[in-house]
Amino acid sequence: MFYEQRMTVPDSPAALRDEYDRDLAAVVEAHGLDRAADATDVDRDRLAALVEADSPELTLEEAAQIQSLAEGEPDPETIETMATEHLLLGMSTAVLDVDAVESDLAIDMDAKEIQQKIERRAPMDFEEFVHVQYVIADGAP
């Protein structure tokens, strides 16, 4: 589950995103497209894309909504909070600041944006989350 603390990651951010997309697709498949669309803010087409092994644009909030549909999962707000708190914890463990994260990030985000998104003062899309999580976990001892 994407919101858990990661200490290791696959070879690339794309591989990490693929892992999470498969997890989210399994949740959608278990609930059915229509029920998942009704229970989340994610439109049916993007949910269908997940099931079809595509990687649709999602926000962190939307990914949390999908994940929360799985049995035994916390509510979306808790999942989103846990995900970002684990980013901060990972930065502490790896002794990284936002400038260090920025320097290793494969997407265009500056240190201020990273800080705002991790602190949830700005919205984060799921792709950004995956890239930031990848850099943090890859830098963990």
Side-chain angles (χ1 to χ4, degrees):
M1 287 163 268
F2 70 86
Y3 65 89
E4 294 177 336
Q5 181 69 39
R6 293 291 301 234
M7 299 306 287
T8 60
V9 287
D11 295 338
S12 69
L16 183 60
R17 174 67 192 261
D18 184 56
E19 176 185 321
Y20 292 152
D21 285 344
R22 286 191 315 268
D23 291 345
L24 294 172
V27 173
V28 173
E29 287 177 325
H31 281 76
L33 282 173
D34 292 330
R35 285 180 52 209
D38 290 343
T40 68
D41 294 334
V42 185
D43 63 66
R44 192 177 191 288
D45 290 342
R46 288 187 293 146
L47 292 170
L50 268 175
V51 172
E52 294 166 5
D54 287 335
S55 191
E57 288 186 21
L58 295 170
T59 64
L60 179 58
E61 179 181 7
E62 290 170 335
Q65 290 173 9
I66 296 167
Q67 186 66 53
S68 73
L69 297 175
E71 188 173 327
E73 290 291 340
D75 64 90
E77 178 70 20
T78 300
I79 290 173
E80 192 174 357
T81 299
M82 290 173 68
T84 54
E85 286 181 358
H86 282 136
L87 293 179
L88 289 169
L89 179 61
M91 288 175 66
S92 296
T93 302
V95 192
L96 296 170
D97 61 13
V98 290
D99 292 316
V101 172
E102 176 191 13
S103 69
D104 289 333
L105 207 55
I107 59 175
D108 187 28
M109 277 181 24
D110 66 35
K112 183 178 178 180
E113 285 177 290
I114 295 165
Q115 185 76 34
Q116 289 175 336
K117 289 173 186 263
I118 290 174
E119 292 176 350
R120 298 178 65 200
R121 292 183 288 130
M124 181 183 294
D125 69 39
F126 196 53
E127 188 70 17
E128 292 168 336
F129 172 82
V130 169
H131 277 266
V132 170
Q133 185 185 51
Y134 179 86
V135 168
I136 293 169
D138 194 46

PDB file of all heavy atoms in Angstrom, residues 3 7-8 38-39 44 52 55 66 74-75 92-93 98-99 107 115 123 138:
ATOM      1  N   TYR A   3       0.686   4.138   1.135  1.00  0.00           N
ATOM      2  CA  TYR A   3       0.800   5.042   2.271  1.00  0.00           C
ATOM      3  C   TYR A   3       1.703   4.505   3.375  1.00  0.00           C
ATOM      4  O   TYR A   3       1.983   5.197   4.352  1.00  0.00           O
ATOM      5  CB  TYR A   3      -0.587   5.387   2.832  1.00  0.00           C
ATOM      6  CG  TYR A   3      -1.348   4.217   3.429  1.00  0.00           C
ATOM      7  CD1 TYR A   3      -1.189   3.888   4.767  1.00  0.00           C
ATOM      8  CD2 TYR A   3      -2.226   3.466   2.669  1.00  0.00           C
ATOM      9  CE1 TYR A   3      -1.886   2.824   5.325  1.00  0.00           C
ATOM     10  CE2 TYR A   3      -2.936   2.422   3.209  1.00  0.00           C
ATOM     11  CZ  TYR A   3      -2.759   2.096   4.543  1.00  0.00           C
ATOM     12  OH  TYR A   3      -3.446   1.044   5.081  1.00  0.00           O
ATOM     13  N   MET A   7      11.116   1.499   2.818  1.00  0.00           N
ATOM     14  CA  MET A   7      12.552   1.536   3.075  1.00  0.00           C
ATOM     15  C   MET A   7      13.329   1.069   1.845  1.00  0.00           C
ATOM     16  O   MET A   7      14.527   1.281   1.751  1.00  0.00           O
ATOM     17  CB  MET A   7      12.902   0.664   4.282  1.00  0.00           C
ATOM     18  CG  MET A   7      12.227   1.138   5.575  1.00  0.00           C
ATOM     19  SD  MET A   7      12.528   2.866   5.986  1.00  0.00           S
ATOM     20  CE  MET A   7      14.230   2.781   6.496  1.00  0.00           C
ATOM     21  N   THR A   8      12.627   0.408   0.936  1.00  0.00           N
ATOM     22  CA  THR A   8      13.222  -0.024  -0.320  1.00  0.00           C
ATOM     23  C   THR A   8      12.231   0.286  -1.443  1.00  0.00           C
ATOM     24  O   THR A   8      11.028   0.397  -1.201  1.00  0.00           O
ATOM     25  CB  THR A   8      13.512  -1.534  -0.334  1.00  0.00           C
ATOM     26  OG1 THR A   8      12.293  -2.249  -0.154  1.00  0.00           O
ATOM     27  CG2 THR A   8      14.506  -1.920   0.754  1.00  0.00           C
ATOM     28  N   ASP A  38     -18.880   5.498  -7.924  1.00  0.00           N
ATOM     29  CA  ASP A  38     -19.864   6.128  -7.036  1.00  0.00           C
ATOM     30  C   ASP A  38     -19.268   6.500  -5.679  1.00  0.00           C
ATOM     31  O   ASP A  38     -19.673   7.487  -5.071  1.00  0.00           O
ATOM     32  CB  ASP A  38     -21.072   5.202  -6.811  1.00  0.00           C
ATOM     33  CG  ASP A  38     -21.941   5.060  -8.047  1.00  0.00           C
ATOM     34  OD1 ASP A  38     -21.824   5.905  -8.970  1.00  0.00           O
ATOM     35  OD2 ASP A  38     -22.734   4.092  -8.094  1.00  0.00           O
ATOM     36  N   ALA A  39     -18.297   5.716  -5.212  1.00  0.00           N
ATOM     37  CA  ALA A  39     -17.748   5.904  -3.867  1.00  0.00           C
ATOM     38  C   ALA A  39     -16.544   6.846  -3.825  1.00  0.00           C
ATOM     39  O   ALA A  39     -16.074   7.194  -2.737  1.00  0.00           O
ATOM     40  CB  ALA A  39     -17.353   4.548  -3.280  1.00  0.00           C
ATOM     41  N   ARG A  44     -15.251   7.171 -13.924  1.00  0.00           N
ATOM     42  CA  ARG A  44     -15.258   5.766 -14.350  1.00  0.00           C
ATOM     43  C   ARG A  44     -14.170   5.486 -15.390  1.00  0.00           C
ATOM     44  O   ARG A  44     -13.550   4.419 -15.373  1.00  0.00           O
ATOM     45  CB  ARG A  44     -16.638   5.405 -14.904  1.00  0.00           C
ATOM     46  CG  ARG A  44     -16.843   3.928 -15.100  1.00  0.00           C
ATOM     47  CD  ARG A  44     -18.266   3.624 -15.594  1.00  0.00           C
ATOM     48  NE  ARG A  44     -18.582   2.229 -15.554  1.00  0.00           N
ATOM     49  CZ  ARG A  44     -18.087   1.304 -16.362  1.00  0.00           C
ATOM     50  NH1 ARG A  44     -17.220   1.652 -17.294  1.00  0.00           N
ATOM     51  NH2 ARG A  44     -18.454   0.035 -16.248  1.00  0.00           N
ATOM     52  N   GLU A  52      -7.323  -1.627 -16.711  1.00  0.00           N
ATOM     53  CA  GLU A  52      -6.739  -2.033 -17.992  1.00  0.00           C
ATOM     54  C   GLU A  52      -5.221  -1.877 -18.017  1.00  0.00           C
ATOM     55  O   GLU A  52      -4.597  -1.909 -19.079  1.00  0.00           O
ATOM     56  CB  GLU A  52      -7.386  -1.240 -19.125  1.00  0.00           C
ATOM     57  CG  GLU A  52      -8.854  -1.562 -19.296  1.00  0.00           C
ATOM     58  CD  GLU A  52      -9.597  -0.566 -20.169  1.00  0.00           C
ATOM     59  OE1 GLU A  52      -8.958   0.350 -20.734  1.00  0.00           O
ATOM     60  OE2 GLU A  52     -10.830  -0.688 -20.252  1.00  0.00           O
ATOM     61  N   SER A  55      -1.964   3.938 -16.576  1.00  0.00           N
ATOM     62  CA  SER A  55      -1.599   4.738 -15.407  1.00  0.00           C
ATOM     63  C   SER A  55      -2.243   6.114 -15.534  1.00  0.00           C
ATOM     64  O   SER A  55      -1.600   7.069 -15.964  1.00  0.00           O
ATOM     65  CB  SER A  55      -0.077   4.845 -15.322  1.00  0.00           C
ATOM     66  OG  SER A  55       0.311   5.378 -14.085  1.00  0.00           O
ATOM     67  N   ILE A  66      -9.524   5.554  -3.444  1.00  0.00           N
ATOM     68  CA  ILE A  66      -9.584   4.207  -4.007  1.00  0.00           C
ATOM     69  C   ILE A  66      -9.082   3.193  -2.980  1.00  0.00           C
ATOM     70  O   ILE A  66      -9.738   2.178  -2.723  1.00  0.00           O
ATOM     71  CB  ILE A  66      -8.760   4.103  -5.312  1.00  0.00           C
ATOM     72  CG1 ILE A  66      -9.359   5.001  -6.391  1.00  0.00           C
ATOM     73  CG2 ILE A  66      -8.684   2.651  -5.792  1.00  0.00           C
ATOM     74  CD1 ILE A  66      -8.463   5.206  -7.604  1.00  0.00           C
ATOM     75  N   PRO A  74      -8.104   2.316   6.354  1.00  0.00           N
ATOM     76  CA  PRO A  74      -8.621   3.536   6.975  1.00  0.00           C
ATOM     77  C   PRO A  74      -9.365   4.414   5.964  1.00  0.00           C
ATOM     78  O   PRO A  74      -9.351   4.145   4.758  1.00  0.00           O
ATOM     79  CB  PRO A  74      -7.365   4.250   7.482  1.00  0.00           C
ATOM     80  CG  PRO A  74      -6.190   3.453   7.068  1.00  0.00           C
ATOM     81  CD  PRO A  74      -6.666   2.266   6.297  1.00  0.00           C
ATOM     82  N   ASP A  75      -9.957   5.474   6.466  1.00  0.00           N
ATOM     83  CA  ASP A  75     -10.654   6.412   5.592  1.00  0.00           C
ATOM     84  C   ASP A  75      -9.636   7.177   4.735  1.00  0.00           C
ATOM     85  O   ASP A  75      -8.447   7.199   5.053  1.00  0.00           O
ATOM     86  CB  ASP A  75     -11.506   7.385   6.421  1.00  0.00           C
ATOM     87  CG  ASP A  75     -10.645   8.247   7.316  1.00  0.00           C
ATOM     88  OD1 ASP A  75     -10.220   9.336   6.877  1.00  0.00           O
ATOM     89  OD2 ASP A  75     -10.378   7.834   8.474  1.00  0.00           O
ATOM     90  N   SER A  92      13.594  12.174   7.477  1.00  0.00           N
ATOM     91  CA  SER A  92      14.367  12.189   8.727  1.00  0.00           C
ATOM     92  C   SER A  92      15.288  10.978   8.806  1.00  0.00           C
ATOM     93  O   SER A  92      16.459  11.099   9.159  1.00  0.00           O
ATOM     94  CB  SER A  92      13.437  12.196   9.938  1.00  0.00           C
ATOM     95  OG  SER A  92      12.688  13.369   9.973  1.00  0.00           O
ATOM     96  N   THR A  93      14.751   9.816   8.466  1.00  0.00           N
ATOM     97  CA  THR A  93      15.535   8.579   8.517  1.00  0.00           C
ATOM     98  C   THR A  93      16.706   8.631   7.542  1.00  0.00           C
ATOM     99  O   THR A  93      17.819   8.226   7.876  1.00  0.00           O
ATOM    100  CB  THR A  93      14.638   7.368   8.187  1.00  0.00           C
ATOM    101  OG1 THR A  93      13.553   7.327   9.117  1.00  0.00           O
ATOM    102  CG2 THR A  93      15.402   6.066   8.227  1.00  0.00           C
ATOM    103  N   VAL A  98      14.535  19.057   1.791  1.00  0.00           N
ATOM    104  CA  VAL A  98      13.828  19.215   0.518  1.00  0.00           C
ATOM    105  C   VAL A  98      14.776  19.573  -0.628  1.00  0.00           C
ATOM    106  O   VAL A  98      14.517  19.218  -1.774  1.00  0.00           O
ATOM    107  CB  VAL A  98      12.656  20.221   0.618  1.00  0.00           C
ATOM    108  CG1 VAL A  98      11.528  19.642   1.455  1.00  0.00           C
ATOM    109  CG2 VAL A  98      13.106  21.567   1.127  1.00  0.00           C
ATOM    110  N   ASP A  99      15.876  20.232  -0.329  1.00  0.00           N
ATOM    111  CA  ASP A  99      16.856  20.539  -1.380  1.00  0.00           C
ATOM    112  C   ASP A  99      17.503  19.263  -1.899  1.00  0.00           C
ATOM    113  O   ASP A  99      17.716  19.113  -3.103  1.00  0.00           O
ATOM    114  CB  ASP A  99      17.927  21.500  -0.864  1.00  0.00           C
ATOM    115  CG  ASP A  99      17.370  22.888  -0.575  1.00  0.00           C
ATOM    116  OD1 ASP A  99      16.588  23.391  -1.411  1.00  0.00           O
ATOM    117  OD2 ASP A  99      17.703  23.454   0.483  1.00  0.00           O
ATOM    118  N   ILE A 107      11.389  14.594 -11.781  1.00  0.00           N
ATOM    119  CA  ILE A 107      10.370  15.493 -12.318  1.00  0.00           C
ATOM    120  C   ILE A 107      10.679  16.907 -11.864  1.00  0.00           C
ATOM    121  O   ILE A 107      11.460  17.112 -10.938  1.00  0.00           O
ATOM    122  CB  ILE A 107       8.933  15.071 -11.889  1.00  0.00           C
ATOM    123  CG1 ILE A 107       8.802  15.050 -10.372  1.00  0.00           C
ATOM    124  CG2 ILE A 107       8.556  13.742 -12.511  1.00  0.00           C
ATOM    125  CD1 ILE A 107       7.392  14.774  -9.872  1.00  0.00           C
ATOM    126  N   GLN A 115       8.165  20.893  -0.265  1.00  0.00           N
ATOM    127  CA  GLN A 115       7.828  21.143   1.137  1.00  0.00           C
ATOM    128  C   GLN A 115       6.332  21.385   1.303  1.00  0.00           C
ATOM    129  O   GLN A 115       5.692  20.815   2.182  1.00  0.00           O
ATOM    130  CB  GLN A 115       8.616  22.345   1.660  1.00  0.00           C
ATOM    131  CG  GLN A 115       8.421  22.622   3.139  1.00  0.00           C
ATOM    132  CD  GLN A 115       9.183  21.645   4.009  1.00  0.00           C
ATOM    133  OE1 GLN A 115      10.266  21.197   3.637  1.00  0.00           O
ATOM    134  NE2 GLN A 115       8.642  21.319   5.157  1.00  0.00           N
ATOM    135  N   PRO A 123      -1.882  20.888  -3.086  1.00  0.00           N
ATOM    136  CA  PRO A 123      -2.285  19.552  -3.536  1.00  0.00           C
ATOM    137  C   PRO A 123      -1.132  18.823  -4.220  1.00  0.00           C
ATOM    138  O   PRO A 123      -0.277  19.441  -4.854  1.00  0.00           O
ATOM    139  CB  PRO A 123      -3.431  19.823  -4.504  1.00  0.00           C
ATOM    140  CG  PRO A 123      -3.280  21.244  -4.913  1.00  0.00           C
ATOM    141  CD  PRO A 123      -2.560  21.957  -3.811  1.00  0.00           C
ATOM    142  N   ASP A 138      14.824   5.595  -1.703  1.00  0.00           N
ATOM    143  CA  ASP A 138      16.092   5.221  -2.341  1.00  0.00           C
ATOM    144  C   ASP A 138      17.281   5.766  -1.553  1.00  0.00           C
ATOM    145  O   ASP A 138      18.355   5.173  -1.581  1.00  0.00           O
ATOM    146  CB  ASP A 138      16.107   5.740  -3.786  1.00  0.00           C
ATOM    147  CG  ASP A 138      17.217   5.117  -4.608  1.00  0.00           C
ATOM    148  OD1 ASP A 138      17.380   3.889  -4.547  1.00  0.00           O
ATOM    149  OD2 ASP A 138      17.910   5.873  -5.325  1.00  0.00           O
TER     150      ASP A 138
END
